[in-house]
Amino acid sequence: MNDRERPVPVPPVSPALVALLAEAAQAPPGWSAGVTGQSRLDGDLLLDETELATLHEGLRRSFGPSVDLAALRAGLDLDALEALTVADVERLLPAEDAR
């Protein structure tokens, strides 16, 4: 890194979303500390189809029917599904709940 390159700060993930991810994953205490916007749902958080369905339902329960993770995932090919991140899910949230 030189003087012109500064690290880009990573914004924190919505605490409500982190809580829903932990609930869906049935995660142990402390698991949430490693969740960032760049965390991939599949590759990093290792969420399976059942956990993704639980996350989908939690998102709709908490934020309303317009937050449709299933519809987002349905439009993706395998590579895009594997690359889907927490930040991608966070973009589904209503603006006031995104942060």
Side-chain angles (χ1 to χ4, degrees), residues 60-87:
R60 293 179 70 110
R61 180 183 67 243
S62 296
F63 300 106
S66 65
V67 180
D68 196 343
L69 179 60
L72 172 65
R73 293 182 70 238
L76 301 176
D77 65 17
L78 185 57
D79 289 338
L81 283 170
E82 290 174 350
L84 192 64
T85 67
V86 170

Side-chain angles (χ1 to χ4, degrees), residues 28-92:
W31 178 88
S32 302
V35 175
T36 70
Q38 291 77 29
S39 299
R40 293 170 299 153
L41 301 182
D42 180 22
D44 298 316
L45 303 182
L46 305 175
L47 298 181
D48 63 25
E49 289 300 318
T50 302
E51 292 163 336
L52 289 166
T54 300
L55 176 60
H56 170 77
E57 290 305 316
L59 289 167
R60 293 179 70 110
R61 180 183 67 243
S62 296
F63 300 106
S66 65
V67 180
D68 196 343
L69 179 60
L72 172 65
R73 293 182 70 238
L76 301 176
D77 65 17
L78 185 57
D79 289 338
L81 283 170
E82 290 174 350
L84 192 64
T85 67
V86 170
D88 295 327
V89 174
E90 193 165 36
R91 281 190 280 280
L92 295 174

